[in-house]
Coordinates of all heavy atoms in Angstrom, one line a residue:
M1 N 0.9 -1.2 0.0 CA 0.0 0.0 0.0 C 0.9 1.2 0.0 O 0.7 2.2 -0.7 CB -0.9 0.0 1.2 CG -1.7 1.3 1.3 SD -2.8 1.2 2.8 CE -3.7 2.8 2.7
R2 N 1.9 1.2 0.8 CA 2.7 2.4 0.9 C 3.4 2.7 -0.5 O 3.5 3.9 -0.9 CB 3.8 2.3 2.0 CG 3.2 2.2 3.3 CD 4.3 2.2 4.4 NE 3.7 2.2 5.7 CZ 4.4 2.3 6.8 NH1 5.7 2.4 6.8 NH2 3.8 2.3 8.0
A3 N 3.9 1.7 -1.1 CA 4.6 2.0 -2.4 C 3.6 2.6 -3.4 O 4.0 3.6 -4.1 CB 5.1 0.7 -3.0
S4 N 2.3 2.2 -3.4 CA 1.4 2.7 -4.4 C 1.1 4.2 -4.1 O 0.8 5.0 -4.9 CB 0.1 1.9 -4.4 OG -0.6 2.0 -3.2
L5 N 1.2 4.5 -2.8 CA 0.9 5.9 -2.4 C 2.1 6.8 -2.9 O 1.8 8.0 -3.1 CB 0.8 6.0 -0.9 CG -0.4 5.4 -0.3 CD1 -0.4 5.4 1.2 CD2 -1.7 6.0 -0.8
V6 N 3.2 6.3 -3.1 CA 4.4 7.1 -3.5 C 4.5 7.2 -5.0 O 5.0 8.1 -5.6 CB 5.7 6.5 -3.0 CG1 6.9 7.3 -3.4 CG2 5.6 6.5 -1.4
E7 N 3.9 6.2 -5.7 CA 4.1 6.1 -7.1 C 3.1 6.8 -8.0 O 2.9 6.5 -9.2 CB 4.1 4.6 -7.5 CG 5.3 3.9 -7.0 CD 5.2 2.4 -7.1 OE1 4.2 1.9 -7.5 OE2 6.2 1.7 -6.7
D8 N 2.4 7.8 -7.4 CA 1.5 8.6 -8.3 C 2.3 9.3 -9.4 O 3.4 9.7 -9.2 CB 0.9 9.7 -7.4 CG -0.1 9.1 -6.4 OD1 -0.8 8.2 -6.8 OD2 -0.1 9.6 -5.3
A9 N 1.6 9.5 -10.5 CA 2.2 10.1 -11.6 C 2.7 11.5 -11.3 O 3.7 12.0 -11.7 CB 1.2 10.3 -12.8
A10 N 1.9 12.2 -10.4 CA 2.3 13.5 -9.9 C 3.6 13.5 -9.2 O 4.3 14.6 -9.1 CB 1.2 14.1 -9.1
C11 N 4.1 12.4 -8.8 CA 5.4 12.4 -8.1 C 6.5 12.1 -9.1 O 7.7 12.2 -8.7 CB 5.4 11.2 -7.1 SG 4.2 11.5 -5.7
A12 N 6.3 11.7 -10.3 CA 7.3 11.5 -11.3 C 8.4 10.6 -10.9 O 9.5 10.7 -11.2 CB 7.9 12.8 -11.8
G13 N 8.0 9.6 -10.1 CA 8.9 8.6 -9.7 C 9.9 8.9 -8.6 O 10.7 8.1 -8.2
T14 N 9.8 10.2 -8.1 CA 10.7 10.6 -7.1 C 10.2 10.6 -5.7 O 10.9 10.6 -4.7 CB 11.2 12.1 -7.4 OG1 10.0 12.9 -7.2 CG2 11.8 12.2 -8.8
G15 N 8.9 10.5 -5.6 CA 8.3 10.6 -4.3 C 7.9 12.0 -3.9 O 7.1 12.3 -3.1
T16 N 8.5 13.0 -4.7 CA 8.2 14.4 -4.4 C 6.8 14.8 -5.0 O 6.4 14.3 -6.0 CB 9.3 15.3 -5.1 OG1 10.6 14.9 -4.6 CG2 9.0 16.8 -4.9
V17 N 6.1 15.6 -4.3 CA 4.8 16.1 -4.7 C 5.0 17.5 -5.2 O 5.5 18.4 -4.5 CB 3.8 16.1 -3.6 CG1 2.4 16.4 -4.1 CG2 3.8 14.7 -3.0
F18 N 4.5 17.8 -6.5 CA 4.8 19.1 -7.1 C 3.7 20.1 -6.7 O 3.1 20.7 -7.6 CB 5.0 19.0 -8.5 CG 6.1 18.1 -8.9 CD1 5.9 16.9 -9.7 CD2 7.4 18.3 -8.5 CE1 7.0 16.1 -10.0 CE2 8.5 17.5 -8.8 CZ 8.2 16.4 -9.5
C19 N 3.5 20.3 -5.5 CA 2.6 21.3 -5.0 C 3.1 22.7 -5.1 O 4.3 23.0 -4.7 CB 2.2 21.0 -3.5 SG 1.2 22.3 -2.7
R20 N 2.3 23.6 -5.6 CA 2.8 25.0 -5.9 C 2.1 26.0 -4.9 O 2.1 27.2 -5.1 CB 2.4 25.4 -7.3 CG 3.2 24.6 -8.3 CD 4.7 24.9 -8.2 NE 5.5 24.2 -9.2 CZ 6.2 23.1 -9.0 NH1 6.2 22.6 -7.7 NH2 6.9 22.4 -9.9
N21 N 1.5 25.4 -3.9 CA 0.9 26.3 -2.8 C -0.1 27.3 -3.3 O -0.2 28.4 -2.7 CB 2.0 27.0 -2.0 CG 1.6 27.5 -0.7 OD1 0.8 26.9 0.0 ND2 2.2 28.6 -0.2
C22 N -0.9 26.9 -4.3 CA -1.9 27.8 -4.9 C -3.1 27.9 -4.0 O -3.8 28.8 -4.0 CB -2.3 27.4 -6.2 SG -3.2 25.8 -6.3
R23 N -3.3 26.9 -3.2 CA -4.3 26.8 -2.2 C -5.7 26.7 -2.8 O -6.7 26.9 -2.1 CB -4.2 27.9 -1.2 CG -2.9 28.1 -0.5 CD -2.9 29.0 0.6 NE -3.3 28.3 1.9 CZ -2.5 27.6 2.6 NH1 -1.2 27.4 2.3 NH2 -3.0 26.9 3.7
F24 N -5.9 26.3 -4.0 CA -7.1 26.1 -4.6 C -7.9 24.9 -3.8 O -9.1 25.0 -3.6 CB -7.1 25.6 -6.1 CG -6.6 26.8 -7.0 CD1 -6.1 26.5 -8.2 CD2 -6.7 28.1 -6.6 CE1 -5.7 27.5 -9.1 CE2 -6.3 29.1 -7.5 CZ -5.8 28.8 -8.7
C25 N -7.1 24.0 -3.4 CA -7.7 22.9 -2.7 C -8.2 23.2 -1.3 O -9.2 22.8 -0.9 CB -6.7 21.8 -2.5 SG -5.1 22.3 -1.8
T26 N -7.5 24.1 -0.6 CA -7.9 24.5 0.7 C -9.2 25.3 0.8 O -9.9 25.3 1.7 CB -6.8 25.3 1.5 OG1 -6.6 26.5 0.7 CG2 -5.5 24.5 1.6
M27 N -9.5 25.9 -0.4 CA -10.7 26.8 -0.5 C -12.0 25.9 -0.4 O -13.0 26.4 -0.1 CB -10.7 27.6 -1.8 CG -9.7 28.7 -1.7 SD -9.9 29.9 -3.1 CE -8.7 29.2 -4.2
V28 N -11.8 24.6 -0.8 CA -13.0 23.7 -0.8 C -13.0 22.7 0.3 O -14.0 21.9 0.3 CB -13.1 23.1 -2.2 CG1 -13.3 24.1 -3.3 CG2 -12.0 22.2 -2.5
C29 N -12.0 22.6 1.0 CA -11.9 21.5 2.0 C -12.7 21.8 3.3 O -12.4 22.7 4.0 CB -10.4 21.3 2.4 SG -10.2 19.9 3.6
P30 N -13.8 21.0 3.5 CA -14.6 21.3 4.6 C -13.9 20.9 6.0 O -14.4 21.3 7.0 CB -15.8 20.4 4.4 CG -15.3 19.2 3.6 CD -14.2 19.8 2.7
A31 N -12.8 20.1 5.9 CA -12.2 19.7 7.1 C -11.0 20.5 7.5 O -10.4 20.3 8.6 CB -11.7 18.2 6.9
G32 N -10.8 21.5 6.7 CA -9.7 22.5 7.1 C -8.3 21.8 7.0 O -7.4 22.2 7.8
V33 N -8.2 20.8 6.2 CA -6.8 20.2 6.1 C -5.8 21.1 5.6 O -6.1 21.8 4.6 CB -6.9 18.9 5.3 CG1 -5.6 18.2 5.2 CG2 -7.9 17.9 5.8
R34 N -4.7 21.2 6.2 CA -3.7 22.1 5.7 C -2.9 21.4 4.6 O -1.7 21.0 4.8 CB -2.8 22.5 6.9 CG -3.6 23.3 8.0 CD -2.8 23.7 9.2 NE -1.7 24.6 8.8 CZ -1.9 25.9 8.7 NH1 -3.1 26.5 9.0 NH2 -0.8 26.7 8.5
I35 N -3.5 21.3 3.5 CA -3.0 20.4 2.4 C -1.6 20.9 1.9 O -0.7 20.0 1.8 CB -4.0 20.4 1.3 CG1 -5.3 19.8 1.8 CG2 -3.5 19.6 0.1 CD1 -6.5 19.9 0.8
P36 N -1.4 22.2 1.6 CA -0.1 22.5 1.1 C 1.0 22.3 2.1 O 2.1 21.9 1.8 CB -0.2 24.0 0.8 CG -1.6 24.3 0.7 CD -2.4 23.3 1.6
E37 N 0.7 22.5 3.4 CA 1.7 22.3 4.4 C 2.0 20.8 4.5 O 3.2 20.4 4.8 CB 1.2 22.8 5.7 CG 1.2 24.4 5.8 CD 0.0 25.0 5.1 OE1 -1.0 24.3 4.7 OE2 0.1 26.2 4.8
V38 N 1.0 20.0 4.4 CA 1.2 18.5 4.4 C 2.1 18.1 3.2 O 3.0 17.3 3.4 CB -0.1 17.8 4.3 CG1 0.1 16.3 4.1 CG2 -1.0 18.0 5.6
M39 N 1.8 18.7 2.0 CA 2.6 18.4 0.9 C 4.1 18.8 1.1 O 5.1 18.1 0.7 CB 2.1 19.1 -0.4 CG 0.7 18.8 -0.8 SD 0.5 17.0 -1.1 CE -1.3 17.1 -1.7
T40 N 4.3 20.0 1.7 CA 5.7 20.4 2.0 C 6.4 19.4 2.9 O 7.5 19.1 2.7 CB 5.6 21.8 2.7 OG1 5.1 22.7 1.8 CG2 7.0 22.3 3.1
M41 N 5.7 18.9 3.9 CA 6.3 18.0 4.8 C 6.6 16.6 4.1 O 7.6 16.0 4.4 CB 5.4 17.8 6.0 CG 5.3 19.0 6.9 SD 6.9 19.6 7.4 CE 7.7 18.2 8.2
I42 N 5.8 16.2 3.2 CA 6.1 15.0 2.4 C 7.4 15.2 1.7 O 8.2 14.4 1.7 CB 4.9 14.7 1.4 CG1 3.7 14.2 2.2 CG2 5.3 13.7 0.4 CD1 2.4 14.0 1.3
N43 N 7.5 16.4 1.1 CA 8.7 16.7 0.3 C 9.9 16.7 1.2 O 11.0 16.3 0.8 CB 8.6 18.0 -0.5 CG 7.6 17.8 -1.7 OD1 7.3 16.6 -2.1 ND2 7.1 18.9 -2.1
L44 N 9.8 17.3 2.4 CA 10.9 17.3 3.3 C 11.3 15.9 3.7 O 12.5 15.5 3.9 CB 10.6 18.1 4.5 CG 10.6 19.6 4.4 CD1 10.1 20.3 5.6 CD2 12.0 20.1 4.0
S45 N 10.3 15.0 3.9 CA 10.5 13.6 4.2 C 11.3 12.9 3.1 O 12.2 12.2 3.4 CB 9.2 12.9 4.5 OG 9.3 11.6 4.9
V46 N 10.9 13.2 1.8 CA 11.6 12.6 0.7 C 13.0 13.1 0.7 O 14.0 12.3 0.5 CB 10.9 13.0 -0.6 CG1 11.8 12.6 -1.8 CG2 9.5 12.4 -0.7
A47 N 13.3 14.4 1.0 CA 14.6 14.9 0.9 C 15.4 14.3 2.0 O 16.7 14.1 1.9 CB 14.6 16.4 1.1
A48 N 14.8 13.9 3.1 CA 15.5 13.3 4.2 C 15.7 11.8 4.1 O 16.3 11.1 5.0 CB 14.7 13.6 5.6
G49 N 15.2 11.3 3.0 CA 15.4 9.8 2.6 C 14.3 8.9 3.1 O 14.5 7.7 3.1
S50 N 13.2 9.4 3.5 CA 12.1 8.6 3.9 C 10.8 8.9 3.1 O 9.9 9.5 3.6 CB 11.8 8.7 5.4 OG 11.6 10.0 5.8
A51 N 10.8 8.4 1.9 CA 9.7 8.7 1.0 C 8.4 7.9 1.4 O 7.3 8.3 1.2 CB 10.0 8.5 -0.4
D52 N 8.7 6.7 1.9 CA 7.6 5.8 2.2 C 7.7 5.1 3.5 O 7.1 4.0 3.7 CB 7.5 4.9 1.0 CG 8.7 4.0 0.8 OD1 9.7 4.3 1.5 OD2 8.6 3.1 0.1
V53 N 8.5 5.6 4.4 CA 8.6 5.0 5.7 C 8.3 6.0 6.8 O 8.4 7.2 6.5 CB 10.0 4.3 6.0 CG1 10.3 3.2 4.9 CG2 11.1 5.4 5.9
R54 N 8.0 5.6 7.9 CA 7.7 6.4 9.0 C 8.8 7.5 9.2 O 10.0 7.1 9.3 CB 7.5 5.6 10.3 CG 7.1 6.4 11.5 CD 6.9 5.4 12.7 NE 6.4 6.1 13.8 CZ 7.1 6.7 14.8 NH1 8.4 6.9 14.6 NH2 6.5 7.3 15.8
A55 N 8.4 8.7 9.2 CA 9.4 9.8 9.3 C 10.0 9.9 10.7 O 9.4 9.3 11.7 CB 8.7 11.1 9.0
G56 N 11.2 10.4 10.8 CA 11.8 10.5 12.1 C 11.2 11.6 13.0 O 10.3 12.3 12.6
D57 N 11.6 11.6 14.3 CA 11.0 12.4 15.3 C 11.0 13.9 15.0 O 10.0 14.6 15.1 CB 11.7 12.2 16.6 CG 11.3 10.8 17.2 OD1 10.3 10.2 16.7 OD2 12.0 10.4 18.2
L58 N 12.1 14.4 14.4 CA 12.2 15.8 14.1 C 11.2 16.2 13.1 O 10.5 17.2 13.2 CB 13.6 16.2 13.7 CG 13.8 17.7 13.3 CD1 13.5 18.6 14.4 CD2 15.3 17.9 12.8
L59 N 11.1 15.4 12.0 CA 10.1 15.7 11.0 C 8.7 15.6 11.5 O 7.8 16.3 11.2 CB 10.3 14.7 9.8 CG 11.4 15.0 8.8 CD1 11.6 13.9 7.8 CD2 11.1 16.3 8.1
R60 N 8.5 14.6 12.4 CA 7.2 14.4 12.9 C 6.7 15.6 13.8 O 5.6 16.1 13.8 CB 7.1 13.1 13.7 CG 7.2 11.9 12.8 CD 7.4 10.6 13.6 NE 6.2 10.2 14.3 CZ 5.3 9.4 13.7 NH1 5.4 9.1 12.5 NH2 4.2 9.1 14.4
H61 N 7.7 16.2 14.6 CA 7.4 17.3 15.4 C 7.1 18.5 14.5 O 6.2 19.3 14.8 CB 8.6 17.6 16.3 CG 8.7 16.7 17.5 ND1 7.6 16.4 18.4 CD2 9.7 15.9 17.9 CE1 8.0 15.6 19.3 NE2 9.2 15.2 19.0
T62 N 7.9 18.7 13.4 CA 7.8 19.8 12.5 C 6.4 19.7 11.8 O 5.7 20.7 11.7 CB 8.9 19.8 11.5 OG1 10.2 19.9 12.2 CG2 8.8 21.0 10.6
Y63 N 6.1 18.5 11.4 CA 4.8 18.2 10.8 C 3.6 18.6 11.7 O 2.7 19.3 11.3 CB 4.7 16.8 10.4 CG 3.3 16.3 10.0 CD1 2.9 16.4 8.7 CD2 2.4 15.8 10.9 CE1 1.7 16.0 8.3 CE2 1.1 15.4 10.5 CZ 0.8 15.6 9.2 OH -0.5 15.2 8.8
A64 N 3.7 18.2 13.0 CA 2.7 18.5 14.0 C 2.5 20.0 14.1 O 1.4 20.5 14.2 CB 3.0 17.9 15.3
A65 N 3.6 20.8 14.1 CA 3.5 22.2 14.3 C 2.9 22.9 13.1 O 2.1 23.8 13.1 CB 4.9 22.8 14.6
R66 N 3.3 22.4 11.9 CA 3.0 23.1 10.7 C 1.5 22.7 10.2 O 0.9 23.5 9.5 CB 3.9 22.8 9.5 CG 5.3 23.3 9.8 CD 6.2 23.2 8.6 NE 5.7 24.1 7.5 CZ 6.5 24.4 6.5 NH1 7.7 24.0 6.4 NH2 6.0 25.2 5.5
T67 N 1.0 21.6 10.7 CA -0.3 21.2 10.3 C -1.3 21.3 11.5 O -2.4 20.7 11.4 CB -0.3 19.8 9.7 OG1 0.1 18.9 10.7 CG2 0.6 19.7 8.6
A68 N -0.9 22.0 12.5 CA -1.8 22.1 13.7 C -3.2 22.5 13.3 O -3.4 23.5 12.6 CB -1.2 23.0 14.7
G69 N -4.2 21.8 13.7 CA -5.6 22.1 13.4 C -6.1 21.5 12.1 O -7.3 21.6 11.8
G70 N -5.2 21.0 11.3 CA -5.6 20.4 10.0 C -4.6 19.3 9.5 O -4.2 19.5 8.4
P71 N -4.3 18.3 10.3 CA -3.4 17.3 9.8 C -4.0 16.5 8.7 O -5.2 16.5 8.5 CB -3.1 16.5 11.1 CG -4.4 16.6 11.8 CD -4.9 18.0 11.6
A72 N -3.2 15.7 8.1 CA -3.7 14.9 6.9 C -4.8 13.9 7.4 O -5.7 13.6 6.7 CB -2.5 14.1 6.3
S73 N -4.7 13.4 8.6 CA -5.7 12.5 9.1 C -7.0 13.1 9.3 O -8.0 12.4 9.5 CB -5.2 11.8 10.4 OG -5.0 12.9 11.4
A74 N -7.1 14.4 9.2 CA -8.5 15.1 9.4 C -9.3 14.9 8.0 O -10.5 15.2 8.0 CB -8.3 16.6 9.7
C75 N -8.6 14.5 7.0 CA -9.3 14.3 5.7 C -10.4 13.3 5.9 O -10.2 12.2 6.4 CB -8.3 13.8 4.7 SG -9.1 13.3 3.1
V76 N -11.6 13.7 5.4 CA -12.8 12.8 5.6 C -13.1 12.1 4.3 O -14.1 11.4 4.2 CB -14.0 13.5 6.1 CG1 -13.7 14.0 7.5 CG2 -14.4 14.7 5.2
G77 N -12.3 12.3 3.2 CA -12.5 11.6 2.0 C -13.7 12.0 1.3 O -14.3 11.3 0.5
C78 N -14.0 13.3 1.4 CA -15.3 13.8 0.8 C -15.2 14.0 -0.8 O -16.2 14.3 -1.4 CB -15.7 15.1 1.4 SG -14.5 16.5 1.1
H79 N -13.9 14.1 -1.3 CA -13.7 14.3 -2.7 C -14.0 15.7 -3.2 O -13.9 15.9 -4.4 CB -14.5 13.3 -3.6 CG -14.0 11.9 -3.4 ND1 -12.9 11.3 -4.1 CD2 -14.4 10.9 -2.5 CE1 -12.7 10.1 -3.7 NE2 -13.6 9.8 -2.7
A80 N -14.2 16.6 -2.3 CA -14.4 18.0 -2.7 C -13.2 18.6 -3.4 O -13.4 19.5 -4.3 CB -14.8 18.9 -1.6
C81 N -12.1 18.1 -3.1 CA -10.8 18.6 -3.8 C -10.5 17.9 -5.1 O -9.5 18.3 -5.8 CB -9.6 18.5 -2.8 SG -9.3 16.8 -2.2
D82 N -11.2 16.9 -5.4 CA -11.0 16.2 -6.7 C -11.0 17.2 -7.9 O -12.0 17.9 -8.0 CB -12.0 15.1 -6.9 CG -11.7 13.8 -6.1 OD1 -10.7 13.8 -5.3 OD2 -12.5 12.9 -6.2
G83 N -10.0 17.2 -8.7 CA -10.0 17.9 -9.9 C -9.6 19.4 -9.6 O -9.6 20.2 -10.6
R84 N -9.3 19.8 -8.4 CA -9.1 21.2 -8.1 C -7.6 21.5 -8.2 O -7.2 22.7 -8.3 CB -9.5 21.5 -6.6 CG -11.0 21.4 -6.4 CD -11.7 22.6 -7.0 NE -13.1 22.6 -6.8 CZ -13.9 23.6 -6.7 NH1 -13.3 24.8 -6.8 NH2 -15.1 23.6 -6.6
C85 N -6.8 20.5 -8.2 CA -5.3 20.8 -8.2 C -4.8 20.9 -9.6 O -4.8 20.0 -10.4 CB -4.6 19.6 -7.5 SG -2.8 19.9 -7.5
P86 N -4.3 22.1 -10.0 CA -3.7 22.3 -11.3 C -2.5 21.5 -11.6 O -2.1 21.3 -12.7 CB -3.4 23.8 -11.4 CG -3.3 24.2 -10.0 CD -4.2 23.3 -9.1
Q87 N -1.9 20.9 -10.5 CA -0.7 20.1 -10.7 C -1.1 18.6 -10.9 O -0.3 17.8 -11.0 CB 0.1 20.2 -9.4 CG 0.7 21.6 -9.2 CD 1.5 22.1 -10.3 OE1 1.2 23.1 -11.0 NE2 2.7 21.4 -10.6
G88 N -2.4 18.3 -10.8 CA -2.9 17.0 -10.9 C -2.5 16.0 -9.8 O -2.5 14.8 -9.9
I89 N -2.3 16.6 -8.6 CA -1.9 15.8 -7.5 C -3.2 15.1 -6.9 O -4.2 15.7 -6.7 CB -1.3 16.7 -6.3 CG1 0.0 17.3 -6.9 CG2 -1.1 15.8 -5.1 CD1 0.6 18.3 -5.9
P90 N -3.1 13.8 -6.8 CA -4.2 13.1 -6.1 C -4.2 13.3 -4.6 O -3.5 12.6 -3.9 CB -3.9 11.6 -6.5 CG -2.5 11.6 -6.7 CD -2.0 12.9 -7.1
I91 N -4.9 14.3 -4.2 CA -4.8 14.8 -2.8 C -5.2 13.8 -1.8 O -4.5 13.6 -0.8 CB -5.6 16.1 -2.7 CG1 -5.0 17.2 -3.6 CG2 -5.7 16.6 -1.3 CD1 -5.8 18.5 -3.7
I92 N -6.3 13.1 -2.0 CA -6.7 12.1 -1.0 C -5.6 11.0 -0.8 O -5.3 10.7 0.4 CB -8.0 11.5 -1.4 CG1 -9.1 12.5 -1.4 CG2 -8.4 10.3 -0.4 CD1 -10.5 11.9 -1.8
R93 N -5.0 10.6 -1.9 CA -4.0 9.6 -1.7 C -2.8 10.1 -1.0 O -2.1 9.4 -0.2 CB -3.6 9.1 -3.1 CG -4.5 8.1 -3.7 CD -4.3 7.9 -5.2 NE -3.0 7.5 -5.5 CZ -2.6 6.2 -5.6 NH1 -3.5 5.3 -5.2 NH2 -1.4 5.9 -5.9
Q94 N -2.4 11.4 -1.2 CA -1.3 11.9 -0.5 C -1.6 12.2 0.9 O -0.7 12.2 1.8 CB -0.8 13.2 -1.2 CG -0.3 13.0 -2.6 CD 1.0 12.1 -2.6 OE1 1.8 12.1 -1.7 NE2 1.1 11.2 -3.7
M95 N -2.9 12.5 1.2 CA -3.2 12.6 2.7 C -3.1 11.3 3.4 O -2.6 11.2 4.5 CB -4.6 13.2 2.8 CG -4.8 14.6 2.3 SD -3.7 15.8 3.0 CE -2.5 16.0 1.6
A96 N -3.4 10.2 2.7 CA -3.3 8.9 3.3 C -1.8 8.6 3.5 O -1.4 8.0 4.5 CB -3.9 7.8 2.4
R97 N -1.0 9.0 2.5 CA 0.4 8.8 2.6 C 1.1 9.5 3.8 O 1.8 9.0 4.6 CB 1.1 9.2 1.3 CG 2.6 9.1 1.3 CD 3.1 9.7 0.0 NE 4.6 9.7 -0.1 CZ 5.2 10.4 -1.0 NH1 4.6 11.2 -1.8 NH2 6.6 10.3 -1.0
A98 N 0.7 10.8 3.9 CA 1.2 11.6 5.0 C 0.8 11.1 6.4 O 1.6 11.2 7.3 CB 0.7 13.1 4.8
T99 N -0.4 10.6 6.4 CA -0.9 10.0 7.7 C 0.0 8.9 8.1 O 0.4 8.7 9.3 CB -2.4 9.5 7.6 OG1 -3.2 10.6 7.3 CG2 -2.8 8.9 8.9
L100 N 0.4 8.0 7.2 CA 1.3 6.9 7.4 C 2.7 7.4 7.8 O 3.3 6.9 8.7 CB 1.4 6.0 6.2 CG 0.2 5.1 5.9 CD1 0.4 4.5 4.6 CD2 0.0 4.1 7.0
L101 N 3.2 8.5 7.1 CA 4.5 9.0 7.4 C 4.6 9.7 8.7 O 5.6 9.5 9.4 CB 4.9 10.0 6.3 CG 5.3 9.5 4.9 CD1 5.3 10.7 3.9 CD2 6.7 8.8 5.0
F102 N 3.6 10.4 9.1 CA 3.8 11.3 10.2 C 2.9 11.1 11.4 O 3.1 11.6 12.5 CB 3.6 12.8 9.7 CG 4.5 13.2 8.6 CD1 4.0 13.4 7.4 CD2 5.8 13.4 8.9 CE1 4.8 13.8 6.4 CE2 6.7 13.9 7.9 CZ 6.1 14.1 6.6
E103 N 1.9 10.3 11.2 CA 0.8 10.2 12.3 C 0.7 8.8 12.9 O -0.2 8.7 13.7 CB -0.5 10.8 11.8 CG -0.4 12.3 11.3 CD -1.7 12.9 11.0 OE1 -2.6 12.7 11.9 OE2 -1.9 13.4 10.0
R104 N 1.4 7.9 12.4 CA 1.2 6.5 12.9 C 2.5 6.1 13.6 O 3.5 6.6 13.5 CB 0.9 5.5 11.7 CG -0.4 5.9 11.0 CD -1.6 5.6 12.0 NE -2.8 6.4 11.7 CZ -3.7 6.1 10.8 NH1 -3.6 5.0 10.1 NH2 -4.7 6.9 10.7
Ligands
SF4_201 S1 -11.1 14.8 0.4 FE1 -10.0 15.3 2.3 S2 -8.5 16.9 1.7 FE2 -10.0 16.7 0.0 S3 -11.6 18.3 0.5 FE3 -12.3 16.4 1.4 S4 -11.5 16.4 3.5 FE4 -10.4 18.0 2.3
SF4_202 S1 -4.3 22.7 -5.4 FE1 -2.5 21.3 -5.7 S2 -0.8 22.7 -6.1 FE2 -2.5 23.9 -5.2 S3 -2.0 23.9 -3.0 FE3 -3.5 22.2 -3.3 S4 -2.2 20.4 -3.7 FE4 -0.9 22.3 -3.9

């Protein structure tokens, strides 16, 4: 499951998510998920060498601070963000990935 979460086309095989922080997604999210901040933390995790494994404590603390009030696990899977991302990022899948990386 974890591998498939990393292998989205939007990641281009690197695990990196090409979020441009446009925040189109956050405008429609009823759960207040801090989606761009979550994406940034995914990329930091990739840079640190953990694209698909539980992130280390420092990254987890940083994630908690940056996503306070709207962590990835707050995603309720409502699909309101589907098709909103100009980068084509499958947001729900990346929220599931971030939950595994930072919240489990
Ligand atoms: S699917 Fe998740 S991230 Fe997307 S709008 Fe719904 S709650 Fe927010
Ligand atoms: S719509 Fe896509 S590119 Fe824009 S902030 Fe959300 S995830 Fe990032």
